[in-house]
Amino acid sequence: TVNMTISPPPHRVERLAEILASIPIDQKRTSVRKWHKVLGELRSMALALPGARHLFSHMQLALSKKIKSRVNLGRGVHDSLEDFRWLLEDIKRRPTRIAELVPLLASAEGHHDASGKGAGGVWFPAKHLVPRKGYRNTPVLWRLKWPQHIIDDLVTSSNPNGSISNSDLELAGGLLHLEAIAQCFDTRERTLLSKTDNLNTLF
């Protein structure tokens, strides 16, 4: 379209609402037949829902662990369905920008890492990426020391009862990495290539 946006047909929005309403948050299991239908319809809709293509891992895993003709709906499944409910409300409020659905060539490449002490990274922006006021089109370096209460709660050999894992810190570092470039450049409708050596963060 001229505005570079799309909106799903009303009947598709209504059908998505029906699917999500048919699986209440306290439902513990469902039939394999119904789950196949739910997954099939959600996958067909995901093409036009920004961010939806990454929400299927828990739902697909539940199917792979079916017991006879029943599928257990655990917390991960319901978390994914809650994300779909959020997307449903979002597409009701506004049209979807095509740039949210179709990745472009990367406008910046970045690398980041985290440890039990802190996190940091570097971004290399393309020449066409527009810097925000007060910044120039140069590489962005950032680092952060974790607050002491975070460090103290990290699971280690000397603190096996901690509640924060190294992967939690890697994920937090990935979010901070994206925030760092968004603070320095206008990244709206731009594809950013963020690289890491941590599989939980990468996938």
Side-chain angles (χ1 to χ4, degrees):
T1 65
V2 174
N3 293 326
M4 298 297 286
T5 63
I6 61 171
S7 295
H11 73 275
R12 296 290 277 176
V13 176
E14 290 174 8
R15 180 56 188 153
L16 177 56
E18 288 173 4
I19 292 171
L20 297 174
S22 73
I23 307 171
I25 196 168
D26 58 348
Q27 185 171 339
K28 302 298 183 185
R29 58 189 60 85
T30 189
S31 68
V32 170
R33 182 177 179 181
K34 178 178 179 179
W35 199 237
H36 270 295
K37 185 175 182 180
V38 167
L39 284 178
E41 290 196 76
L42 289 180
R43 283 194 181 278
S44 70
M45 296 177 185
L47 297 173
L49 295 173
R53 63 180 177 170
H54 302 294
L55 299 179
F56 290 94
S57 56
H58 285 291
M59 294 190 286
Q60 201 67 46
L61 181 63
L63 182 61
S64 70
K65 293 185 175 181
K66 68 181 185 296
I67 300 174
K68 294 184 178 180
S69 62
R70 307 295 288 174
V71 175
N72 288 323
L73 305 180
R75 177 180 174 181
V77 170
H78 282 292
D79 285 346
S80 298
L81 292 173
E82 276 301 298
D83 289 336
F84 270 104
R85 291 184 181 97
W86 186 92
L87 289 173
L88 172 62
E89 294 306 313
D90 189 52
I91 63 174
K92 286 180 179 178
R93 288 194 300 266
R94 65 174 182 89
T96 300
R97 303 286 297 175
I98 292 177
E100 294 178 88
L101 302 172
V102 183
L104 306 172
L105 291 175
S107 295
E109 179 178 319
H111 303 260
H112 64 92
D113 205 354
S115 71
K117 293 185 177 180
V122 59
W123 280 106
F124 301 99
K127 292 182 179 179
H128 65 265
L129 197 59
V130 180
R132 296 191 183 277
K133 186 177 180 180
Y135 292 92
R136 294 179 297 155
N137 194 303
T138 58
V140 175
L141 292 166
W142 70 273
R143 63 179 180 176
L144 172 76
K145 181 180 178 181
W146 302 123
Q148 192 60 46
H149 71 276
I150 297 293
I151 296 173
D152 293 342
D153 205 18
L154 180 65
V155 176
T156 64
S157 57
S158 60
N159 184 35
N161 295 321
S163 64
I164 297 174
S165 70
N166 183 67
S167 292
D168 291 328
L169 299 182
E170 293 277 9
L171 288 167
L175 293 174
L176 291 168
H177 192 53
L178 294 172
E179 180 64 20
I181 193 168
Q183 290 289 330
C184 301
F185 292 88
D186 184 356
T187 57
R188 291 173 296 177
E189 300 185 6
R190 299 293 186 183
T191 298
L192 306 173
L193 180 57
S194 178
K195 295 186 176 183
T196 176
D197 62 355
N198 181 265
L199 288 179
N200 291 309
T201 307
L202 185 62
F203 295 107

